[in-house]
Every structure is written in structure tokens, then in C-alpha cells.
């Protein structure tokens, strides 16, 4: 059902292992999101729903972490080594997005 | 396909309008999560993936907000009016979950 | 040197114990902030500076927590019991300030 | 009153302009922290106190941002260029401290 991930040779950004890790996590997150909907339809206690949403947020942080590490090890590393001055603006924007 | 939401009379916690609002948001979030998976399979730039994950997080915050408001207006209000002292511990735990 | 805190009778919002707790924490935080300045003048490693700033943030969260609990137990409780509908908007604004 | 900042030649980590910027911000933050104490002694409304604490937190984020940018441009850049593999663990720890 899933589209074939690009092969190692053709992938430019996210390394295959990181991509696999992220996809497994996202599949689990899809299930968790459906679980939240189910809790709401079943009229579960609000605090339980809020806790479950917090779990999904934490799981998404896990995906961010995987992608971020790969981003640092690949893209940021390449940019730094080739003295691309724009990488710092990009990185700062990513890091301080929410503040 | 969706299970029928409980009718207004039978729902105890999340009010029907809040439940509908949350379910619509969650359906959109499911699509967004699949979108992130697609971006990863398509080997999109890491920063674009991270931005998309941040959008999903923000959308989940929207659901939390809906559930939280209902929780405050219903459960917390009832508990406060009946002088239930435990509500403050519960509320503090919900509010400072991440810190 | 410190202005006398209001006496129990005259304080309307923050209860005396909560005020004392917050003031002790804030005095410690003042010292921590000066410590961060000292680290910067001493040219300490950036990560150590960032970690120290994170400690100050966490300590400020502790003050927020003290004030928040008092706010819930006093102001929110009074407003809910007197059916003030505006309290929910105020509370939501406080809770979702950063998002 | 302030200790002399190290001169440009002797500073190893935080560049002089970044250090100056951070020290100015921190001096302002010290004043803000004292302002919060004053609000508490004056028995100001809890929401006003909470808002002021949030302002201090935001100001501290500004210091973090200054130090972080310098850290990326100096320490991380040097480490990446000299192929130090430990920099990624350090960076990830800094970035995902709170999650």
C-alpha cells in the first residue's frame, strides 16, 4: 500500500534508516490520532483526551528528533563545510520556530 | 464509517459542538500526518518536513484548546461549585504537564 | 530593604504563603541571572551558558506554578462560583499564551 | 562595577558583540525579575504577575537565541569542520532539552 521509499542511492536528504524510523513512528502516530477521535466519540473524560493528545505531541517530537538529527548530520554539515552563511539563518528559524 | 457520536442527552463530558469541532480537526490532522509520511518517502528537504511536523503540532494544540475550554466550562466548573479540592491538583497536572 | 509584604488581611489576590514562596524563588532567580552574566563575562562554554539559562527558565516556571495555583484556588474559584462567564476567556488566554 | 569583559583576543567562545548583547539583555532581565517581586509585594492581580513572568521568559529566550547563534557559528562550525562526531549528540541535547 505504501509507496516504495527511494533507494539509498537516490535519496538526497533523509538517510534510509532515518526515513524508515520516521515512517514507522508516523504510522503509529496515525493510529494514535484515530485513537483520540475514538475517545472523543466515546465521550471519555476530558483529561484522558488531553493526556492522549499530549502523547501524540510527544510522539511527533520523536519524529522531529529523527529528522533533525539527520538534518544536522547531512544538510547542516554539508552547508557548514562549504561555508554557506545562509545555513545559520535557516537553522535559527527552525530552532526558535515556536518562540 | 464513523461511529455515531453520542447524542446530546447522553454525552457527559465533551459537549456535542466541542466534540464535532475536535473530530473535524482530528480528521484533518490524520491527513496531515499522512502528508508528512509522503514527504519523507518523496525525500523532501528536512526543513520542509520539520515545518510540516510543526504544523501538525499546532493543529493538535487546536484540538487541546477545544477540549480544554470544554473541560474548564464543564468539569472544572462543576468540581469548583461542589467544592471538590482535588480539581486543583488535576488541573495543575494538566497545565504543567510539559515542564 | 524589601518592602513589607501586605498583611494577610489586606492581601486580595496572592495568599501570604504563596507570595512568600514566590518571593523566595524570585530572589534565587535574581542570583541565577547574575550568574549567567558572570558566565558570559568569564567566557564560559556556550552550552554551559545555555544550560544555565534553561535552569533560570525552569525556576521561573516554578514561580508561575505557585502563582497559577493560587490564581485557580482564589480568583478562578470566586469567578466560577459567581458565574462570571469572562473567566474562561481569561483562563484560556493565560494557558495558551505561548502557542 | 561590572567585571571587564575579556578582550576580543582572549575570548574563546562567545564573540564580544554577542557577549555585549547578552549582558545588556540580562541587565534588563534582572530589572524585570525585581519588577515581578514588586508586583507580588504590591498584591497585583495574578494574571498580571503571570504575564510579567512570561515576559521575563521571552526575554531569556532572546539571550538564548544570541548565545545559540554564536554557538552555531563558532563552536558547532569548528567541530563540524574538524569532523568531531560528538557535536551532534551535544547539539541534540541542547535542542531537545525540554522534551
Amino acid at each position: 500500500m505504501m509507496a516504495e521509499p527511494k533507494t539509498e542511492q537516490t535519496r538526497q536528504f533523509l538517510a534510509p534508516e532515518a526515513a524508515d524510523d520516521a515512517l514507522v513512528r508516523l504510522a503509529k502516530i496515525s493510529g494514535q490520532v484515530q485513537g483520540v477521535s475514538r475517545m472523543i466519540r466515546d465521550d471519555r473524560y476530558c483529561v484522558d483526551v488531553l493526556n492522549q493528545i499530549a502523547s501524540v505531541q510527544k510522539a511527533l517530537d520523536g519524529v522531529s528528533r529523527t529528522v533533525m538529527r539527520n538534518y544536522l548530520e547531512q544538510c547542516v554539515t554539508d552547508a557548514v563545510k562549504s561555508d554557506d552563511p545562509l545555513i545559520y539563518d535557516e537553522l535559527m528559524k527552525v530552532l526558535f520556530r515556536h518562540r
Side-chain angles (χ1 to χ4, degrees), chain A residues 27-93:
Chain A
K28 200 187 147 202
I29 287 167
S30 275
Q32 284 181 300
V33 171
Q34 284 171 30
V36 175
S37 295
R38 202 176 316 115
M39 289 176 82
I40 288 173
R41 287 196 300 273
D42 291 350
D43 193 33
R44 295 278 298 278
Y45 188 50
C46 296
V47 172
D48 295 334
V49 177
L50 290 169
N51 286 343
Q52 189 56 26
I53 295 171
S55 294
V56 182
Q57 300 263 25
K58 211 178 158 183
L60 279 165
D61 273 337
V63 184
S64 288
R65 203 180 290 233
T66 296
V67 177
M68 178 69 84
R69 174 138 203 150
N70 187 93
Y71 167 61
L72 296 170
E73 289 182 348
Q74 310 293 331
C75 306
V76 173
T77 295
D78 290 350
V80 165
K81 287 191 173 178
S82 63
D83 292 312
D84 175 2
L86 297 178
I87 192 65
Y88 302 103
D89 284 338
E90 183 183 281
L91 199 40
M92 288 295 289
K93 218 169 150 184

Side-chain angles (χ1 to χ4, degrees), chain A residues 3-21:
Chain A
E4 278 298 299
K6 298 202 174 185
T7 59
E8 186 154 1
Q9 303 93 297
T10 61
R11 291 194 73 94
Q12 185 184 358
F13 298 120
L14 209 56
E17 313 74 43
D20 286 349
D21 175 88

